[in-house]
Amino acid sequence: MLKVVIAEDEQWIRKSIVKCVDWEQLGLELAGEAADGNKALELARLHRPDIILIDIHMPGQNGLQLMQQWADEHYYPKCIIISGYNHFEYAQKAISLGAFAYLLKPFKREEINDALAKVCQVLRMEQDMRSSLEQVKRQLSVGIPLIKERIMLDFLSGREENAPSHQDVTFLPYYAVLVLGIDGFWRKKADKEKVRQQIRDMVACVETILQNHEESVVFEREENRIVVILGLKSDRNSLHLALAQRIVAELRSMSYTITIGAGNIHDHVSQIKVSYDEALKAYREKLVLGGDQVITPLAISPGQLIVPDEHIKSTCLAVELADHKGIRVGVQVILSAAVRSGPVCSETVSKIGLRLLGAVSDMALRYGIREPLYEEGDPEHMEGIDVFIEYLTGLLMDAAGKIAAAKENKGLKAISAATEFIQSHYTEDISLDMLAAHVGLHPNYLSEVFKKETGFNFTDYVVTLRVKKAQALMQENPWLSVAKVAELVGYGNTRYFSSLFHKKTGVRPSEYKLGTSSPLNDEDAPIDE
């Protein structure tokens, strides 16, 4: 069982988490609860939990300070941040400290269980890896290749201090790293089992291609990437690029379209991570350069792109109005500028897309839509600006639909509140602006929705209601003068009241009092609530 500690100053939230988590199904046990940072530190030292659900703002040390202290102590639990603050700076700091996930309060049962399921999967994979590495240690005498592979993996992961001594192990003088990924993964990732099988097939293919290469390691890293470490005898040729091109071609023949990021050649095994970082950065450039190719660090442009705020605002307005054409044009204008402006790097393009999505997410919050509209890791799986435009447009179309539904629901509630207000204040000098302020809608939007839902425009609704009320007064109190009746239903001008009454009923109030006409048709009148 994996141990969990909950660090949250609100008791009801802690209890809610305890109640929501599928402890047995996930293979988890609750080691303790902490209402402040100091207690959380004590529980962590006592139980050494695998997972800590931690709030950012707590008495004593806050969540970010605790994560920093644990890192300083070389203790790295999987931390899931639970926070009521949707601030980019908090999320950025948490990620830099190694946070596994960042959940915004209030969160759903499915969200917290999904995050825990993912962290459990990672922890068990790490446990498996540690077990595998322990097995390697036991088999040191079996063969040098296993030792060399372990050393290379440790260097690639930046864990040089964990690498066994390699003074007596002979390595090739040069190393380069390749990062491979399936193109179109963002469309396929919902079918996880199919993707896993494709990755396994690709690993087998790459291992077959490299079986005669003197020194290589092939393994899956994350859900859509394969990493290849190549040992080389010389840095004077581009053998690693030739191998990368061959891998692309071979997998293409198997109907797999992939992109490879190729790191530079470096002159010592300890520099594997440098080459890996270069390869990963080059791989991500497919967002700008497109897929189905080998990308090297030389292809990366440092260019920047500035998008005016008005472009972001106008596209957000199109989303709010469910203007599909406006959404398409807005995204096209924002991202096509990247192509027209000259060389630009994928990081810049990705940030622009996330800036737009962030603005739409903020707008969606105003309509009570709290679920995430996108996954932050998606852009690095895109192949080309056109694909990214398609992706963003689809997300914004979905957001527009959710906002439209929220607006309709809000509009119906507002009309109910509006009619209640009119029924209670029809004797007063009420206006559309007053009513709009009361229900919290723009007057123009209220007028449109009011007409749609009641069949009346605002003025006609009020006049019809007042005439109906006047009829009732004259039937129940025939001794009342027309002037008094007019005053009681909200009209200070008797002649104006008589004119409206005649227009609605076909007779004047004095004639109605004498019983010369039928009442106003109820089908044409507002409901008297």
Side-chain angles (χ1 to χ4, degrees), residues 225-436:
R225 286 199 281 266
I226 297 170
V227 175
V228 179
I229 303 174
L230 295 170
L232 303 166
K233 294 180 179 178
S234 172
D235 66 344
R236 295 181 181 177
N237 55 45
S238 301
L239 176 60
H240 71 306
L241 298 181
L243 287 170
Q245 293 288 3
R246 182 182 170 192
I247 291 169
V248 170
E250 289 284 347
L251 289 173
R252 190 185 293 128
S253 71
M254 297 170 60
S255 299
Y256 292 128
T257 304
I258 69 163
T259 298
I260 296 181
N264 290 321
I265 298 173
H266 292 272
D267 62 0
H268 192 270
V269 67
S270 62
Q271 298 300 300
I272 284 176
K273 187 172 191 314
V274 177
S275 185
Y276 169 72
D277 290 342
E278 293 169 343
L280 183 57
K281 188 172 184 180
Y283 170 79
R284 288 171 173 160
E285 288 306 303
K286 69 178 184 176
L287 176 61
V288 173
L289 302 175
D292 193 22
Q293 62 175 314
V294 177
I295 303 174
T296 69
L298 292 175
I300 301 175
S301 168
Q304 297 295 311
L305 175 64
I306 298 175
V307 175
D309 286 342
E310 56 265 27
H311 289 353
I312 300 291
K313 290 178 181 177
S314 64
T315 306
C316 286
L317 179 61
V319 173
E320 189 171 20
L321 298 177
D323 177 3
H324 289 188
K325 181 178 179 181
I327 292 171
R328 291 190 187 93
V329 171
V331 175
Q332 189 79 31
V333 166
I334 289 171
L335 289 179
S336 292
V339 178
R340 294 194 303 271
S341 65
V344 64
C345 67
S346 64
E347 183 179 3
T348 297
V349 174
S350 179
K351 284 181 178 178
I352 291 168
L354 293 179
R355 177 182 162 199
L356 174 59
L357 290 172
V360 172
S361 295
D362 290 342
M363 180 178 65
L365 281 174
R366 299 202 302 269
Y367 290 96
I369 302 169
R370 300 187 178 279
E371 65 268 24
L373 301 179
Y374 64 97
E375 295 184 24
E376 290 198 13
D378 280 348
E380 71 178 59
H381 299 300
M382 307 290 159
E383 301 84 32
I385 296 292
D386 289 344
V387 174
F388 195 37
I389 288 174
E390 175 192 348
Y391 165 77
L392 285 176
T393 302
L395 288 181
L396 298 193
M397 294 288 194
D398 290 343
K402 293 176 181 178
I403 289 173
K407 285 171 66 177
E408 182 176 355
N409 185 48
K410 183 177 180 180
L412 291 174
K413 291 180 180 178
I415 295 307
S416 176
T419 55
E420 288 179 10
F421 182 85
I422 295 171
Q423 294 283 348
S424 301
H425 298 80
Y426 70 91
T427 61
E428 302 170 17
D429 185 17
I430 55 177
S431 66
L432 181 62
D433 287 343
M434 180 191 302
L435 188 62

Side-chain angles (χ1 to χ4, degrees), residues 47-62:
H47 298 290
R48 308 301 282 181
D50 305 284
I51 304 169
I52 300 179
L53 294 163
I54 186 168
D55 191 6
I56 288 183
H57 290 283
M58 293 186 295
Q61 298 191 68
N62 67 38

Side-chain angles (χ1 to χ4, degrees), residues 431-461:
S431 66
L432 181 62
D433 287 343
M434 180 191 302
L435 188 62
H438 176 73
V439 300
L441 294 180
H442 191 280
N444 291 345
Y445 180 62
L446 174 60
S447 178
E448 177 186 338
V449 178
F450 194 95
K451 174 71 175 178
K452 176 182 176 183
E453 297 300 328
T454 68
F456 293 86
N457 61 43
F458 166 74
T459 301
D460 199 35
Y461 186 94

